[in-house]
Amino acid sequence: MSDGRALARVYLEQQRLLGTDAVTLPPAGLAASPLPDLAPPASRPPAVKTTDLPPAGLAYDPPARDLFSADPLQQVTTLRGVAELVAPCTRCRLCEARTHTVPGEGAEDARLVCVGEGPGRTEDQTGRPFVGQAGELLTKILAAIGLAREQVYICNVVKCRPPQNRTPLYDEIAACVPYLFRQIEILAPRVILAMGNTAAQTLLDTKQSLGALRGKVHRFRGIPLIVTYHPAALLRNPNWKKPTWDDVRIAHCLLDG
Ligand code: URA
Ligand code: SF4
């Protein structure tokens, strides 16, 4: 197929999946991403040359696992083990109103980890992350880069639902974040997608706004981290779908690179 037709197909598919009516042209120098499909990455051409990637951003390097620590969280070596520690957790006040903890779910060998803020109502009822409306949109966003939900790992900064879906408070995040850090350590993904302010600011240890953090390749313990809008924010403001598409394409490029 000619390049032009391939590009057109990519854009039409993008519009179909993301529900936008605008066509998103790749930033100068960025090649079109391959069509969404489930082909193994090795069979796809790299979507972008490393030199075309956005500039480097922040790097956050919290201390990693201490082999001699007596902390049970440091001793577990599986995602299931982390979830078993989360289930009875009372480290912060969010335990009081929860129905279920929502530790996260996905592939043990996920190359991409998607991090949101905290469980909403449906997540609290089911114990699963991103299963409400925002979750449906996340599933579509992942499909747009050829990834099935089951191929990635999806989790949140806090594992219990904040009352009325309020933003988690600083002390709640501080209490819960060791679980997330340990999950990332166990998964050792190739790329992290931080969705929304809470995930971005927590994983980069910064107060910078989402707007300032987008469009750069940050690092969390050396792992490339891309910041984008939270799917729930996209439901409220569809104008952010286009920039989100740009962000996930960068994440996709890093996955294949
Ligand atoms: N929003 C989040 O941040 N996480 C979920 O799991 C669902 C909605
Ligand atoms: Fe524990 Fe995190 Fe739930 Fe707070 S939000 S009770 S720290 S699992």
Side-chain angles (χ1 to χ4, degrees):
M1 197 181 337
S2 74
D3 275 4
R5 284 186 59 196
L7 260 179
R9 274 190 61 186
V10 169
Y11 294 140
L12 287 172
E13 185 65 6
Q14 170 193 325
Q15 286 177 38
R16 188 182 68 75
L17 289 164
L18 295 181
T20 54
D21 46 17
V23 160
T24 307
L25 291 170
L30 269 188
S33 52
L35 281 178
D37 61 31
L38 296 178
S43 70
R44 291 195 218 134
V48 69
K49 297 197 296 285
T50 321
T51 49
D52 294 330
L53 287 169
L58 304 175
Y60 179 36
D61 223 355
R65 184 158 101 105
D66 173 359
L67 286 174
F68 302 103
S69 164
D71 177 359
L73 183 58
Q74 298 310 320
Q75 303 201 333
V76 295
T77 53
T78 61
L79 297 167
R80 180 186 292 269
V82 176
E84 282 169 2
L85 291 175
V86 166
C89 177
T90 55
R91 281 203 213 182
C92 86
R93 66 181 79 72
L94 294 183
C95 67
E96 290 162 18
R98 77 179 171 220
T99 312
H100 291 105
T101 52
V102 183
E105 70 180 23
E108 295 267 342
D109 63 350
R111 293 179 306 142
L112 178 66
V113 174
C114 302
V115 184
E117 178 173 288
R121 181 189 297 276
T122 324
E123 291 77 19
D124 177 63
Q125 284 166 354
T126 58
R128 299 181 55 208
F130 282 97
V131 286
Q133 255 194 316
E136 270 174 45
L137 184 53
L138 175 59
T139 305
K140 288 183 188 174
I141 291 169
L142 292 171
I145 54 169
L147 289 173
R149 209 185 131 95
E150 301 70 40
Q151 288 177 289
V152 308
Y153 195 79
I154 302 175
C155 60
N156 288 297
V157 172
V158 294
K159 312 301 190 190
C160 302
R161 182 192 182 202
Q164 279 82 47
N165 293 349
R166 66 161 168 76
T167 306
L169 302 176
Y170 184 81
D171 63 325
E172 295 159 355
I173 294 174
C176 207
V177 85
Y179 296 122
L180 173 64
F181 287 1
R182 189 76 187 109
Q183 287 172 318
I184 295 175
E185 210 173 354
I186 291 168
L187 283 156
R190 284 183 81 151
V191 180
I192 300 169
L193 184 66
M195 305 181 296
N197 264 308
T198 301
Q201 293 176 346
T202 302
L203 285 167
L204 293 172
D205 192 32
T206 178
K207 294 213 161 63
Q208 286 186 40
S209 70
L210 196 87
L213 294 170
R214 283 190 53 251
K216 295 184 187 126
V217 180
H218 306 281
R219 303 253 163 197
F220 174 84
R221 290 190 181 139
I223 302 164
L225 181 148
I226 299 297
V227 170
T228 195
Y229 294 101
H230 191 289
L234 297 187
L235 291 171
R236 292 191 297 270
N237 189 344
N239 290 336
W240 287 340
K241 285 186 177 177
K242 178 193 166 307
T244 301
W245 175 249
D246 292 338
D247 300 333
V248 295
R249 283 184 65 244
I250 294 164
H252 183 212
C253 292
L254 289 162
L255 273 181
D256 281 353

